[in-house]
C-alpha cells in the first residue's frame, strides 16, 4: 500500500483526524491556568467590580470542560468537533488561550499536530492492551499530568505542585471577588 504524502491541503478532507487532534488537545490540556492578567483601570467583568491593579487568573481547564459547551466533557469524543461528518470549530476551544496574548506559535503548533497525528495514524494502528482501563484523571499543579502507577522517578509537576487555594490566597484580588465567584461560562 502506497502512503499518501501528507500536507496541510488535506486538512479539510480529513475532518475526523482533525477532530481527533482537537479533542486530544481539549481533553489532554496541560496548562490548567492562563497567565495572570492585571487590570489597568477599574472595570466590570461578569457583573463584578474589579479595581485597577487586580490580578486575574482564568481557568482554561474550566472552559475546556464546561458542560454548557461540551456534551460529554469527561469523555474522549472527537464528535465534539464534528457536525454532519464535517469538522466544526468551537468557540470554547481555547488550548492556546485567547485575545491579545494568544500563543504566537498557535498556527504552527496546529499544523504540526495535524501532520504528526495524520502520519502516525497513516502508518500505525493504536489499541489498548486487553483488560486495560484508561484513567483520564489528572494531577493538578503548574501543569496537569496523568495519574500513573509504578513510577520510578517523580514527575516534574510533583516537584512544583501547589494547591490552587494556596496560590490564589497569595494573589491580590478585590475583596468582593473570589476564584469561585466568577462564572466561567460565556
Amino acid at each position: 500500500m502506497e502512503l499518501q504524502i501528507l500536507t496541510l491541503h488535506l486538512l479539510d478532507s480529513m475532518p475526523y483526524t482533525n477532530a481527533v487532534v482537537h479533542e486530544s488537545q481539549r481533553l489532554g490540556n496541560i496548562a490548567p491556568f492562563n497567565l495572570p492578567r492585571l487590570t489597568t483601570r477599574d472595570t466590570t467583568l461578569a457583573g463584578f467590580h474589579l479595581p485597577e491593579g487586580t490580578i486575574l487568573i482564568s481557568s482554561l481547564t474550566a472552559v475546556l470542560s464546561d458542560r454548557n459547551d461540551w456534551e460529554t466533557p469527561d469523555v474522549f469524543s472527537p464528535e465534539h468537533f464534528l457536525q454532519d461528518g464535517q469538522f466544526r470549530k468551537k468557540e470554547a476551544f481555547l488550548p492556546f488561550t485567547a485575545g491579545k496574548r494568544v500563543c504566537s506559535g498557535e498556527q504552527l503548533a496546529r499544523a504540526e499536530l495535524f501532520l504528526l497525528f495524520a502520519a502516525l495514524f497513516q502508518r500505525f494502528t493504536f489499541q489498548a492492551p486487553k483488560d486495560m482501563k484508561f484513567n483520564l484523571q489528572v494531577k493538578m499543579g503548574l501543569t496537569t499530568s496523568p495519574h500513573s502507577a509504578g513510577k520510578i522517578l517523580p514527575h516534574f509537576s510533583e516537584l512544583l505542585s501547589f494547591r490552587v487555594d494556596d496560590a490564589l490566597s497569595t494573589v491580590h484580588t478585590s475583596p468582593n471577588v473570589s476564584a469561585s465567584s466568577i462564572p466561567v461560562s460565556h
Side-chain angles (χ1 to χ4, degrees), residues 24 41 72 103 107 117 124 150 180:
S24 297
R41 61 178 184 269
T72 52
C103 175
Q107 293 304 318
F117 273 83
F124 301 101
S180 60

Side-chain angles (χ1 to χ4, degrees), residues 1 39 55 66 68 127 159 172 178-179:
M1 178 174 130
T39 57
I55 295 174
D66 187 338
N68 295 320
Q127 62 187 36
L159 301 174
H172 167 74
S178 70

